[in-house]
Structures are given as structure tokens and as C-alpha cells.
């Protein structure tokens, strides 16, 4: 079943009968200061660069029945005193990025209370819209409390807390911890002592010799993938741009949950690893790639001391899983080690990482695309309503809705994302519940639905026995993309040589360009197989063009063009061949050569 939902504010929403903004004071903490963590530095770069509605995050917390607004506010006050991250600001000079965090001992924050005589027909959708609206305002890192909270109340009783949060201080996992603790306080229970690392404690560990060695190892791991793996998972016709507006597709399926549990029982694999393996296998099959390269952002909480840390640990674990194996079971046996390797290399200095990426991509002649992200939040303390379809509140033990549908698909709001496929795993038992955003230029709605249903079919087939990976089309109904005869595997990536020639010609003000595919130079890919490279012949007409100038010009046109890869060699010739021979490589070879080289000898 497919349903359509939109979490924008309902047009017939009743105006609140009473609206008030409260100033809430907190105290009892300890004043401290120190360097920012690597995760904070990473997200601060994004906070300062990106539009706030794209980088801020949000959640909706349902209050227990009968919760007074005073109790809801008191619980927020307790959380502020309890967690250093909520009392943290980042002083910095205008135009510079913060390098220091300051934890206040006392302070204030505001809570807006919207008290209604009557709630809209779908109050969860209404609360969601309030949280999204609050995301649109930028957080001031040097002074703002990192949560914006609006309480939706009915006759003085809190029903929902709509929360927008600064990504410089919290991530999705941190919001889940805060939500669980808020609900614990409202139930009258006592919170346990804190055992997770504080942001300042983590910063101290990262600055220690062992932390610096870990960061250096992470950079080396990332560099190997960026220099040799697919530059983009979706290098194919239609893949353009660096930001994608995609609607959310939600899968809820008892079939999927039963199959996942059965595969885990049959193979002895962890359900999370089984699901990740199936997802990677299907994605690599759909894209026609020999490996699945995906960001796994929540995986950096695999250390027990970080699992419940209220902090932003948003640094990608970068998984590269080679799918060139005969069957699902063989791939599953590799997946845990590959995932653990990615998790271990997910702590790094963001500035150094991007300097490395810039250097490696210039030398390789590509632009690494974070095309795919897989976020398994199913083990977080509490499900996240803001990531769920807004058709119902989250299920609770004893609730009939916990049974759920055999297989249901629903469509939600559009979000602008810097990825082509983003997947959130919200639940694996008793329902398999996924949220998927897929680039509509690459997936029609029918194809996106077919992909997630294909994932369920793959799990069902793997529950019955091992699945040959060359049978995925028949098993899942998902077909490999058709790229056409102009596309080739070049230096670990899918590339269109004619598109490379056209882009290079345009970058050089329209001079004639011919691109050939040359035999491999003997340099192996990470799997030990050499692949061909490109040579560009450029008719400069006696102009001052050099290989370095050609390469620099080409690199400027790469962003948003994943089907392009720079030639390994640039050959500058005087004139193009006669028109009748302009498409023949042999004719270009016979032209007078003015200069040639890799173009990587110096940065322009």
C-alpha cells in the first residue's frame, strides 16, 4: 500500500488560544573551556557554510498524557544543567571558525508555549511543521542555546515538544538520548549518573598522542578509497548537481523484519550487518559498481563511552565493500570486517581530511562524491518521530499498531540533501522501517518503491538460502542502470569519454578536443586489477596552453558532473585533423605535438 503525506503545516490549523515565550534559568553546572572536538569542528564548518534549514536538525518529542507545561519546562532545565553540550558556546572572531568551546555554569534559554483549546486533526504533523520552521533560523554559535523548543499544549497540558537543534552541539543520536531522558524525567524516574564522554573529555583524548595517531590512520584509510574507489556511486546519465531535492519514501514491513531475523538466524550474522550487506549488494547492483562506497554516519558511536554521549559525533565512517564475490553469504562474511574497519577510521581532523581530499582529487582528476549515506538509528534509545512518517505516533509495547503492515510504502516531504540516496533504518523488529530519499532524476517514484521492495525480496530469498549475486535482477526485480555505449570503466570509475571531451573543450573556450581510452599503465586498483585511463588531445592552435593549464581548467568544471574524470595525459597539438578524420584517434596522434604531460606537476 502506498500513501501520500506532507508534513507542512496544515492549512486549517487552529491558532493557539495562548502563546507565551518563557525565559528559563538553569544552574548547577561547572564552568569549563577547552578546544573543540574533531566532530564539532567538522559540523561547525557546515554550520558556517550551509543554509540553516539544511544543516540544523530537528525532532518531535511526544509528552506523556497529563504532562503540565511546567513539568515539561522543568525537565528541559534539568537536561541543560546535566549536559555540558547544552551549556556550550563557541566564541570566535567574525569571519573565523571557532577553535574553542566554553561551558557555562549558569545561564538561560527560552521555551515557546502554544496552548490550544483545540488541536488540529493531526497534531503530530502540526508539531513536525513547527520543528521544521524553527530549523530555518541560523544558530549563533557564540551565544545561542543550542535547542529551540516549542511546546504544543492543550488546555495547559503539554502534548508535544517541537525541537530544532544546532548540529554543532548535537546529532541525531544525541537528540535521541535527550528525548529519552526528557521522557524519563516526566515519568517521575531518576536519571542515572553520566558515564559517557563529555565534549571536552573527548577533545582531550583526541589531542593526546594516541588520538593523533588514530586521526592520521583515518586519513590514510580515507585516502586509499578516494584515490582508487569509484569517484561516485551514481556516475550515470541524469546524475548532475551537488544538492538534490528528494521526497521521503518510508517502508514499514513485517515481511522484511521476519526475513531479516531469519537470515540472521541462518547465517549467524548480526541483523544490522545482514541489513547493511543486503542494502550494499542491491545498491552496487543497481549502479553497476564493483564496490559499494557509502557513508555510515552513526557508526562512530560504536565505542561504549560514546554511545550515549550528548555531543555531535557527526563524522562519517566511510565503508568500501567489494561486491565482486559469488554470493550473498560470502559478501556477508566480508561485511562485518569492512564495516568495523570503517568505524575504526571515523575520527579525524576535518580540515586535514578536506585538504587531503582536495589534494587526492586534483591528482586523480576526480571529485569525490558523497553520493550515498546509510544511517542505522534502530538501536538508539528512542525512535525519532521526525524521521518517521507522520501518519501515527510511534508504537509502544502493547499497542495494536506495533503489529504493523506486511508491506506498506508512504511518501513524505521533500528535503534538499547533498546525497543521491540517503537511507535511515529506524526499526528492524517487529517491523522493518526505513526512510529513503532517492534522487528523482535517477529514480522515478515507481523505481524508488521497486528498490525498497527489492530489498525485502532479497532478504526473503537470503532467508531461504544463499543467493547468487549474479541473480539479483531476477530475485529483486531491480535492474542495473543502462549507461549506453559511450560509458567505460576508467581508473576505478564509470566515465563517459565523449562527455569528458565536451567538458574540456568548453573549459578551454571551445578549442577542439579528442579523448581516447588507453590501455592500463600497470597501476592496480585496490583489488589488484589495472584499468584503462584517458588521453586528451587538444588543438590549441599555437596558443600558450600547457597540460597543467588544461588540467586546472578541467578540474574547475568537475563539481556536479560525476560522469567526468580527468585524462591521465594531456597532449597539446597545433591543429585538429581534417574534419573527415576528426573523430579518429590515429589522425590526432599524427598531428604536430607542442607539449604533453599529466598536468599534475603543479597546482594552478
Amino acid at each position: 500500500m502506498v500513501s501520500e503525506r506532507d508534513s507542512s503545516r496544515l492549512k486549517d490549523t487552529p491558532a493557539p488560544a495562548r502563546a507565551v515565550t518563557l525565559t528559563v534559568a538553569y544552574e548547577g553546572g561547572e564552568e569549563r573551556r577547552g578546544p573543540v572536538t574533531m566532530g564539532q569542528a567538522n559540523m561547525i564548518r557546515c554550520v558556517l557554510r550551509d543554509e540553516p534549514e539544511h544543516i540544523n536538525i530537528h525532532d518531535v518529542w511526544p509528552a506523556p498524557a497529563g504532562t503540565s507545561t511546567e513539568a515539561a519546562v522543568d525537565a528541559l532545565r534539568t537536561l541543560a544543567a546535566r549536559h555540558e553540550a547544552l551549556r556550550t558556546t563557541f566564541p570566535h572572531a567574525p569571519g573565523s571558525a571557532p577553535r574553542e568551546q566554553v561551558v557555562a555554569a549558569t545561564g538561560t534559554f527560552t521555551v515557546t508555549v502554544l496552548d490550544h483549546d483545540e488541536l488540529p486533526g493531526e497534531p503530530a504533523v502540526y508539531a513536525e511543521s513547527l520543528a521544521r520552521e524553527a530549523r530555518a533560523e541560523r544558530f549563533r554559535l557564540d551565544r545561542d542555546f543550542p535547542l529551540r523548543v516549542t511546546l504544543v499544549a492543550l488546555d495547559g497540558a503539554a502534548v508535544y515538544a517541537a525541537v530544532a537543534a544546532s548540529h554543532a552541539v548535537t546529532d541525531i543520536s544525541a537528540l535521541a538520548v535527550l528525548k529519552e531522558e526528557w521522557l524519563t524525567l516526566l515519568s517521575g524516574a531518576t536519571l542515572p549518573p553520566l558515564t559517557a564522554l563529555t565534549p571536552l573529555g573527548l577533545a582531550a583524548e583526541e589531542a593526546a598522542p594516541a588520538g593523533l595517531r588514530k586521526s592520521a590512520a583515518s586519513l590514510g584509510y580515507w585516502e586509499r578509497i578516494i584515490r582508487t574507489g569509484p569517484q561516485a556511486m551514481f556516475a550515470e546519465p541524469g546524475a548532475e548537481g551537488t544538492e538534490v531535492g528528494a521526497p521521503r519514501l518510508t517502508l514499514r514491513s513485517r515481511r522484511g523484519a521476519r526475513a531479516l531475523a531469519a537470515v540472521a538466524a541462518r547465517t549467524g550474522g548480526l541483523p544490522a550487518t545482514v541489513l547493511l550487506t543486503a542494502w550494499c549488494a542491491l545498491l552496487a547492483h543497481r549502479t553497476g559498481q564493483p564496490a559499494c562506497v557509502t557513508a555510515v554516519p552513526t557508526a562512530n558511536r560504536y565505542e561504549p563511552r560514546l554511545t550515549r554521549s550528548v555531543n555531535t559525533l557527526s563524522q562519517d565512517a566511510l565503508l568500501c565493500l567489494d561486491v565482486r564475490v559469488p554470493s550473498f553469504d560470502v559478501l556477508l562474511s566480508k561485511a562485518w570486517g569492512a564495516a568495523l574497519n570503517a568505524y575504526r577510521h571515523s575520527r579525524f581532523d576535518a580540515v586535514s581530511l578536506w585538504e587531503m581530499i582536495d589534494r587526492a582529487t586534483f591528482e586523480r582528476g576526480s571529485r569525490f562524491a558523497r553520493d550515498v549515506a546509510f544511517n542505522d538509528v534502530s538501536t538508539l534509545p528512542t525512535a525519532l518521530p521526525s524521521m518517521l512518517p507522520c501518519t501515527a505516533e510511534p508504537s509502544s509495547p502493547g499497542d495494536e499498531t506495533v503489529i504493523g503492515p506486511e508491506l506498506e510504502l508512504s511518501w513524505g516531504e521533500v528535503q534538499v540533501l547533498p546525497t543521491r540516496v540517503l537511507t535511515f533504518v529506524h526499526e528492524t523488529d517487529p517491523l522493518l522501517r526505513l526512510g529513503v530519499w532517492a534522487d528523482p532524476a535517477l529514480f522515478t517514484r515507481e523505481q524508488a518503491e521497486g528498490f525498497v521492495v527489492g530489498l525485502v525480496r532479497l532478504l526473503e530469498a537470503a532467508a531461504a538460502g544463499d543467493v547468487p549475486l549474479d541473480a539479483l535482477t531476477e530475485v529483486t526485480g531491480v535492474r542495473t542502470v543502462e549507461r549506453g555505449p559511450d560509458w567505460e570503466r576508467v581508473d576505478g570509475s564509470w566515465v563517459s569519454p565523449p562527455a569528458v571531451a565536451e567538458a574540456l573543450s568548453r573549459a578551454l573556450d571551445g578549442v577542439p578536443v579528442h579523448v581516447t581510452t588507453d590501455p592500463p599503465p600497470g597501476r592496480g586498483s585496490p583489488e589488484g586489477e589495472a584499468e584503462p585511463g584517458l588521453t586528451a588531445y587538444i588543438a590549441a592552435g599555437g596558443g600558450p596552453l600547457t597540460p597543467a593549464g588544461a588540467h586546472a581548467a578541467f578540474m574547475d568544471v568537475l563539481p556536479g558532473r560525476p560522469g567526468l574524470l580527468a585524462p591521465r595525459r594531456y597532449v597539446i597539438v597545433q591543429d585538429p585533423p581534417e574534419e573527415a578524420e576528426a573523430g579518429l584517434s590515429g589522425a590526432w596522434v599524427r598531428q604536430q605535438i607542442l607539449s604533453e604531460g599529466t598536468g599534475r606537476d603543479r597546482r594552478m
Side-chain angles (χ1 to χ4, degrees):
M1 180 177 69
V2 180
S3 63
E4 195 84 22
R5 282 290 176 187
D6 184 353
S7 66
S8 60
R9 183 179 292 196
L10 304 178
K11 293 182 179 179
D12 60 349
T13 299
R18 294 157 296 279
V20 62
T21 298
L22 306 175
T23 298
V24 184
Y26 62 83
E27 60 181 8
E30 178 185 357
E31 185 174 346
R32 302 208 294 159
R33 66 173 57 220
V36 298
T37 68
M38 293 179 181
Q40 287 171 335
N42 183 42
M43 291 314 305
I44 285 171
R45 283 169 55 89
C46 300
V47 168
L48 296 177
R49 178 193 66 204
D50 297 347
E51 292 301 315
E53 60 266 30
H54 297 166
I55 191 61
N56 293 338
I57 57 178
H58 75 281
D59 199 2
V60 176
W61 303 348
T67 298
S68 68
T69 55
E70 292 80 4
V73 170
D74 284 343
L76 292 170
R77 178 188 289 109
T78 299
L79 294 180
R82 174 177 170 85
H83 293 290
E84 289 191 356
L86 300 185
R87 297 182 276 114
T88 295
T89 53
F90 303 92
H92 61 286
S96 66
R99 296 179 177 272
E100 183 183 46
Q101 57 180 310
V102 175
V103 179
T106 62
T108 62
F109 61 93
T110 60
V111 176
T112 298
V113 180
L114 302 180
D115 196 7
H116 298 73
D117 293 331
E118 177 188 0
L119 289 176
E122 294 183 282
V125 177
Y126 171 52
E128 166 84 4
S129 72
L130 293 172
R132 285 191 174 278
E133 287 177 7
R135 283 175 60 161
E137 182 181 350
R138 192 175 298 276
F139 282 91
R140 286 288 303 270
L141 297 175
D142 58 342
R143 68 185 187 194
D144 285 356
F145 188 73
L147 301 181
R148 287 191 194 110
V149 183
T150 299
L151 290 179
V152 177
L154 177 63
D155 292 330
V159 180
Y160 287 102
V163 182
S166 169
H167 216 334
V169 168
T170 61
D171 55 20
I172 290 170
S173 300
L175 280 184
V177 172
L178 291 172
K179 173 186 174 184
E180 183 193 56
E181 292 188 348
W182 188 70
L183 292 171
T184 299
L185 291 168
L186 293 181
S187 74
T190 301
L191 295 177
L194 290 174
T195 57
L197 271 178
T198 64
L200 285 173
L202 178 58
E205 282 198 1
E206 291 173 344
L212 296 176
R213 288 194 297 270
K214 180 178 289 189
S215 177
S218 296
L219 293 180
Y221 168 87
W222 276 67
E223 186 166 3
R224 285 191 295 274
I225 295 173
I226 288 169
R227 284 188 180 274
T228 57
Q231 64 169 348
M233 288 300 294
F234 289 94
E236 60 188 65
E240 292 188 2
T242 56
E243 290 191 340
V244 173
R248 180 187 63 203
L249 172 62
T250 299
L251 165 75
R252 301 172 70 240
S253 175
R254 283 193 296 163
R255 280 174 49 189
R258 287 196 302 267
L260 178 59
V263 180
R266 183 182 70 78
T267 62
L270 295 172
T273 307
V274 170
L275 184 60
L276 176 62
T277 303
W279 186 83
C280 283
L282 192 60
L283 187 73
H285 168 71
R286 157 59 182 78
T287 57
Q289 297 283 13
C292 178
V293 178
T294 178
V296 193
T298 55
N300 49 26
R301 287 180 177 263
Y302 74 98
E303 293 185 31
R305 294 178 308 145
L306 297 177
T307 302
R308 296 186 58 83
S309 177
V310 175
N311 188 6
T312 186
L313 301 179
S314 292
Q315 293 188 277
D316 286 345
L318 187 65
L319 172 67
C320 183
L321 180 61
D322 184 358
V323 300
R324 291 176 294 184
V325 295
S327 70
F328 182 86
D329 286 6
V330 177
L331 186 62
L332 178 60
S333 69
K334 296 176 55 177
W336 171 241
L340 186 60
N341 202 24
Y343 304 162
R344 287 172 173 166
H345 294 100
S346 61
R347 189 184 297 180
F348 44 78
D349 177 81
V351 174
S352 297
L353 178 75
W354 283 106
E355 288 175 349
M356 178 276 293
I357 290 175
D358 182 60
R359 181 177 65 254
T361 55
F362 182 86
E363 293 170 358
R364 188 180 183 189
S366 67
R367 287 291 180 193
F368 173 69
R370 187 181 181 269
D371 268 357
V372 182
F374 182 86
N375 245 353
D376 188 342
V377 297
S378 62
T379 59
L380 295 184
T382 312
L384 297 171
S386 64
M387 296 298 177
L388 306 179
C390 294
T391 54
E393 295 181 17
S395 303
S396 58
D399 189 337
E400 289 297 322
T401 60
V402 79
I403 298 174
E406 282 292 287
L407 194 152
E408 177 190 80
L409 302 174
S410 60
W411 287 95
E413 78 290 342
V414 172
Q415 284 189 241
V416 177
L417 302 166
T419 57
R420 302 201 186 275
V421 171
L422 168 64
T423 300
F424 273 87
V425 181
H426 302 295
E427 187 179 359
T428 58
D429 182 53
L431 287 177
L432 178 61
R433 183 166 53 191
L434 308 177
V436 179
W437 290 260
D439 185 349
L442 306 177
F443 293 84
T444 64
R445 288 203 169 193
E446 182 180 5
Q447 290 169 337
E449 291 168 6
F451 186 85
V452 296
V453 172
L455 180 66
V456 174
R457 290 173 175 166
L458 175 55
L459 292 171
E460 290 176 328
D466 197 6
V467 178
L469 294 189
D470 61 5
L472 287 184
T473 297
E474 294 76 15
V475 170
T476 67
V478 176
R479 297 184 177 276
T480 301
V481 65
E482 295 183 5
R483 290 186 169 85
D486 289 341
W487 290 77
E488 302 180 37
R489 288 281 303 175
V490 175
D491 190 21
S493 299
W494 279 106
V495 178
S496 171
V500 172
E502 182 272 334
L504 182 56
S505 174
R506 183 182 303 169
L508 298 175
D509 297 325
V511 300
V513 174
H514 179 73
V515 174
T516 66
T517 304
D518 301 325
R523 179 175 63 84
S525 67
E527 294 79 20
E529 297 181 5
E531 292 186 330
L534 301 177
T535 293
Y537 293 86
I538 307 169
L545 184 64
T546 65
H551 185 64
F554 184 79
M555 292 300 294
D556 287 341
V557 302
L558 272 186
R561 300 286 300 276
L564 303 184
L565 187 74
R568 285 182 180 158
R569 190 166 64 106
Y570 298 88
V571 180
I572 315 298
V573 300
Q574 175 71 34
D575 299 304
E578 296 295 330
E579 185 174 347
E581 297 183 320
L584 301 177
S585 297
W588 282 88
V589 172
R590 292 190 295 270
Q591 298 305 106
Q592 178 186 358
I593 296 177
L594 303 179
S595 62
E596 60 182 307
T598 67
R600 278 80 159 172
D601 49 339
R602 65 185 181 89
R603 296 299 300 268
M604 299 300 293

